[in-house]
Structure formats: structure tokens, C-alpha cells
Amino acid sequence: MSSRRSKRQRLSKTDANNGLDGDSDLEEISATVWNSTRQEISGSISPPPARNSLQDSSVSTVRRNEKAARTRPSGAVGSSSMATDNQKTFARRLVPSPTQLSTANGLAAASNVDTASLGDILGDPLIRECWLFNYLFDVDFVMSQLDEDTRAMVQVKIVHGSWRKEDSNRIHIEEVAKKHENIQVITAYMAEMYGRGPFSNTWLKKPLTLEWLGTHHSKMIILFRHDEHAQVIIVTGNFIVRDWSMCQAVWRSRLLPILDPSRPYPPNGSEAPRMGSGVRFKQDLLAYLRAYGSKRTGPLTTELERFDFSSVRAALIASVPGAQIPRSMDPDSETLWGWPALRHILSGIKPVAADAKPHIVMQCSSVASVGEKWMEDTFLPSLSAMESTSIPQPRRRPKFSLVFPTADEIRRSVGGYASGGSIHMKTQHAAQLKQLDYLRPMLCRWAGDQDSGPPSATGSRTPRVRQALRRRAAPHIKTYIRFSDEGMTKIDWAMMTSANLSKQAWGEAATAGGGVRICSYEIGVVVWPGLWDEGGDAEMVPVFGKDMPDDEEQAEGNTGEGESEQPGDDEETTDEEGGKGLRQPKVEQQSIRKTRVGLRMPYDLPLVAYGINESPWCASTPCAEPDWMGRSWPGFGSS
């Protein structure tokens, strides 16, 4: 488990390159609940160290995990192992999961191996400037996560979307920020809120209700360091205490160096950058940041231009308020948003096997009123997009599942019913009940460990369970994963994002003219095995309870409860891709080489379908049965 240190640790010089939205009124409700339970956190501030001492640690990484469980970013190469295949010995390269889970308070240390807390991300004393993008903020909590000796010197930029002056979130941010001279508050530009969006002449003629409005729902951190490196971090949690006790996800880039003026950049000149490359990631990230307007994020984009993103292995998937006409754009050189961007990214990924039976699992913390037509005609086809194979194959519709917690799972979570204030699916009105009937065959439990009667017709159980060790941590994480086989042992691609299942986040269906309207800011990443090996012999596998995948033999019998061996700090060496790896016994030239990339799973496999008497958690519905702390739930809207 990661733990907060009270004083600065000794720095290592070894490694510079280690990687609610639903209907918008529900987000407003979340803000109300949060404001009623906000925890004020304060701490003394000590003078920072002399700058000269910081410059001596130009490529330092703070090792915060007490078990040295790799505070590494996405893309870091872990180790190689020996395996056999038909009596041919070969070296298998093992790559840790490009995404991590957050440290969940209230769980045992064994359940928090290889996890990251907000303090792990923000607590490095080498941070000089910190840009924070999110929906909800507890400013005191955020400031407490910075290193206590340097927090008064870090230039903190808070970017939020609470554009109404009477919004409680905005009032809190502005009041607390006044106590800190190093905080600058920036309100995101929400074009459609001010009647300036591409569709403002049409849809704003309707009553201006919260259901029509999007949110600034992106959850991102951009750091600039004293050692002349930058880092991009994407998370799924708001910057409030409660969210970082739930199950969240974290993606971290490696530490990005300043561009070398002696080397051409981009390396391929005028050629369009390949999706998933660092050059394309930088292009799309800068396009996203420019959507805020030069007055708000101009200094940030100018600064980021100086850095080399070549080490990044991920595709950026984002949304910004406004409209695009995707069919009139060149997606190889221009940045798309929302579901058109998703469809374009996924259409360039090769499936593991053309004749397999794919299974796409959607998992989110909020399901808005989207309707069957939007799901069937717009969103599910976008999730199903894959690169065509050279050999014609019949198009097979993937199986779809939606992982969402039941009321019983929220009741038994670490936070009890209070966790349910961040998790939303409306099931009260006729249209919502009709949508529930459509979704029911897809619904699967989050924890899956409660027997509430016989499973539904689509359910199946198996005695061997691969445990993610997150059953009691209520999910605020959002993931979308395509498994390539029925056994869910291989992965075609995986997405971690702030975007829940809503039109505000992903965009409306295209109009007759091809226009797509999006209401909210969202951001995430898509990863797939080919990013780690262009030779086509890489694979991505689900891993449980840790970030490093096992070799073939271990993977077959893995229950998710083992720990991978971690070498000492002095065993690090540089791998062939310019990152830091782990020194292993020298391997003679082999006949086969395989790359295995892990993907840290937040839920158990196999999935467990809802029982015939089970329904998803609905925050608007009162629950009289007390949670484990003895509290009942009055339901939102109750007195």
C-alpha cells in the first residue's frame, strides 16, 4: 500500500523515464452531497530547499511505495522471463500494466499492491508547476497532497467548469484559493452555456435546463518539474477526499524531456503521425487544450510544445463542447472528439484473432438517459470498430456487458451508502425503465460475490475466479475493454477515461448533415498490444492484484492473489527502447520472442450477471436496509 510520508525521502537519480457524468443534474447533486461532507485538511508549510540542491537530481524519481511496487508510468518495460514452446526456448518480455488502480483506503495492504494515491502523484518535491483539470475540487485536500516543504512554491492552476457564479463548487474553490498566493483559478470555456456554440441558435431556444448542459468532466494533471521534465497524468476521480477512497484508475506518461534541438521533430517530418505514437498524442493533447481558449490555457500549450512525447504509447481520446462534421475532416491529421474519435482509433487496431468471439465490457459510474437507438446506431457500432483483416471474415457482433454495482454492493462497500452519491443510474420514470429493460441482458455485478437467487438467462458461473481485490471499493472508475475470446484471457484494446455512458460525454448521433454535438469536456487514453511491438507478436492480458503479467504457465493458473517478485533499485538497466528496465540474466539469441503486456483489472473475472431480482444502484431510490455502518439511504430529493 502506498503511504504518505511526513518528510521528504532521499531521492534516487536512476530513472527519468519510468509511465460523473450522466445527466448533468446528477453531477450537481454529487456536488451538493460532497459540499455537505467536505473535510477540511490543513498542514504547516516549511520553506523549500535551495534550488541548487534540486538541480543535482535532474532525473530523479521518488519511490513512495513501501514495497517498491514500481511508481512507474505507462509504457515502462518491466522484465523478461524464460519460457518454452514445443521445446523451443524463447525470451518473453513482460510489460506492466499501462494503467494503475488507485490506492483504496479501507482495504488490506495486499489489495493495494502496485497502486497509486493522489499523494504519490503530487508529492514529489521537484514539481514546480501543476495544472489540475477536474469537475469537483477540495482545494485544501489537493494542497495537502503536495510535498510539505515545497507546496507553497508550486504554481497551482485549477481548471474547473462551474461557470455559474452561484455554484457551490466555484464558491468553495475561489474562497479557499484566496488563502494561497500560488493558486490561480481558471473557469473552463463552455461555449454552449453562453449561447455561442455551433448549435446555439437551435437548441438554446429550448428551456435552459441542466439536462441540456454538459460539464467540465475531464480529470487530468500536467506537471512541470525543476529538473526540466514534464508529465501528463489522467485519472478518473474528482479531487475530493471521498473519490480517492473509491476504486479509480491512473494513467501516467513517462517523464518527458525537453526536445533535443539537434534531432528532427517530429521524426517523420511532414508525414501524418501514427495513432498511438507520442507525436500523435502530443498533437491531440495540444488540440484539446487549445479548445479552452488562449487566454485560459495559452501559456500551458506554449510550455508543452517544448517537450518530447516520443516515449508515450497511447492514443488520446477526448471530448470538448461544440460540434464537428467528422466526414468533412481528415482524421489522420485533424483531431476528432467523442464517439467519432473512438471509432477512428479503434478502426486502426487489429484484432487478436479474426474468427474469435469478442466480448466488449463497458464499466462506468454513471449511465444517463441515452436510449436504445443511440446505443444501437451510434455508440455500440463505435465500440465495435476494428481494422479489417486481409482475409475476408464474416462480421460478428461482439457480446456486450455493462458492469454496474447493485444496491447491495454499494451497501457493503467501504464507504457504504455515501459512496453511492457518486454513482448514478436513473430507474424511476417510464423512459428510464424502458432503457433498463434494454440494458438488463448486459448488466453484470461489480463485486459479484453475493448470491441473490438464480442468475438470469444470460448468466453463468465458474468455480475459478480471478480476483481483482476491489469488491469492497465502490467503483468511480470508467473502463471499456474488448476481450478477444470467450474465456476473457486476451485483450484487443482497453480504454480508461473520464467519460461515462452519456450523450453529453460521447456526442449526439450525427445529424442529416453529418454534424455531431458534444456538451462536455472528457479525456482518456486507449491502449492496445501493438503499441509495444509492431512485429505483431505482442499480446495484452488481464492481470489481477498486481500490474506485472505472469508468464504462460503462471497465467493459466493465476487467481490474482500472488505477487510478482520485485528486484532491488540497483538492478535497473536501460532497455532497448530508451526506458528503464530490470536487469535479468543474459539470454542467448532465441528462436521466438514474445511481448506480454498486462492490463490491471478493476473487477473480477468471469463476470457475474445480475440475478432475476437484482437492479442497479439508483441514488434517487431510498434504501431502508442499513449499510455496514448502520446508516440508511434517504435517496436524493428526499427531505
Side-chain angles (χ1 to χ4, degrees), residues 34-239:
W34 164 69
N35 278 314
S36 68
T37 59
R38 180 185 302 124
Q39 299 183 30
E40 296 294 326
I41 299 177
S42 61
S44 60
I45 299 175
S46 304
R51 175 154 186 164
N52 289 342
S53 65
L54 295 175
Q55 292 173 337
D56 291 338
S57 301
S58 61
V59 291
S60 63
T61 298
V62 179
R63 301 215 165 202
R64 306 177 58 85
N65 193 300
E66 61 197 9
K67 282 189 159 186
R70 296 185 328 279
T71 56
R72 52 103 197 99
S74 106
V77 177
S79 65
S80 61
S81 67
M82 302 299 296
T84 59
D85 182 21
N86 295 330
Q87 298 182 345
K88 293 181 179 179
T89 303
F90 62 94
R92 176 180 289 114
R93 187 169 56 131
L94 301 178
V95 180
S97 175
T99 60
Q100 292 178 279
L101 297 182
S102 63
T103 303
N105 296 331
L107 298 185
S111 298
N112 280 318
V113 173
D114 295 349
T115 59
S117 68
L118 188 59
D120 293 334
I121 298 169
L122 297 180
D124 192 327
L126 288 185
I127 297 171
R128 64 173 174 81
E129 186 172 324
C130 173
W131 286 74
L132 301 167
F133 296 75
N134 219 314
Y135 175 69
L136 289 177
F137 285 85
D138 181 336
V139 178
D140 288 324
F141 168 63
V142 171
M143 295 301 289
S144 74
Q145 304 305 298
L146 295 168
D147 182 83
E148 64 179 347
D149 292 332
T150 61
R151 67 169 63 112
M153 301 297 292
V154 178
Q155 297 304 304
V156 178
K157 318 290 184 178
I158 293 178
V159 184
H160 68 92
S162 300
W163 56 278
R164 295 176 298 166
K165 292 183 178 180
E166 67 273 18
D167 189 287
S168 57
N169 186 46
R170 176 171 180 163
I171 292 171
H172 161 72
I173 292 171
E174 293 178 346
E175 285 182 350
V176 178
K178 292 177 183 178
K179 301 188 302 183
H180 304 274
E181 295 182 355
N182 55 323
I183 293 180
Q184 179 184 354
V185 179
I186 300 168
T187 304
Y189 178 59
M190 308 291 286
E192 311 242 350
M193 308 304 182
Y194 301 102
R196 303 188 185 103
F199 290 96
S200 58
N201 291 332
T202 56
W203 74 276
L204 276 183
K205 292 180 181 179
K206 299 183 179 183
L208 190 60
T209 63
L210 287 173
E211 291 185 356
W212 280 94
L213 303 182
T215 60
H216 182 260
H217 200 247
S218 295
K219 304 172 191 311
M220 178 171 63
I221 303 168
I222 298 178
L223 303 175
F224 297 102
R225 297 161 51 92
H226 288 286
D227 58 11
E228 299 299 320
H229 285 79
Q231 189 174 29
V232 178
I233 302 101
I234 296 174
V235 300
T236 60
N238 290 292
F239 294 141

Side-chain angles (χ1 to χ4, degrees), residues 501-535:
L501 196 54
S502 77
K503 294 179 183 179
Q504 292 97 327
W506 291 105
E508 298 274 358
T511 65
V516 176
R517 177 170 69 94
I518 297 174
C519 295
S520 295
Y521 285 94
E522 306 282 358
I523 199 160
V525 293
V526 181
V527 294
W528 59 95
L531 297 177
W532 281 265
D533 197 325
E534 296 182 359

Side-chain angles (χ1 to χ4, degrees), residues 70 546 548 563-567 582:
R70 296 185 328 279
K546 59 182 181 179
M548 185 68 76
E563 291 186 17
S564 58
E565 223 176 283
Q566 299 295 337
L582 303 173

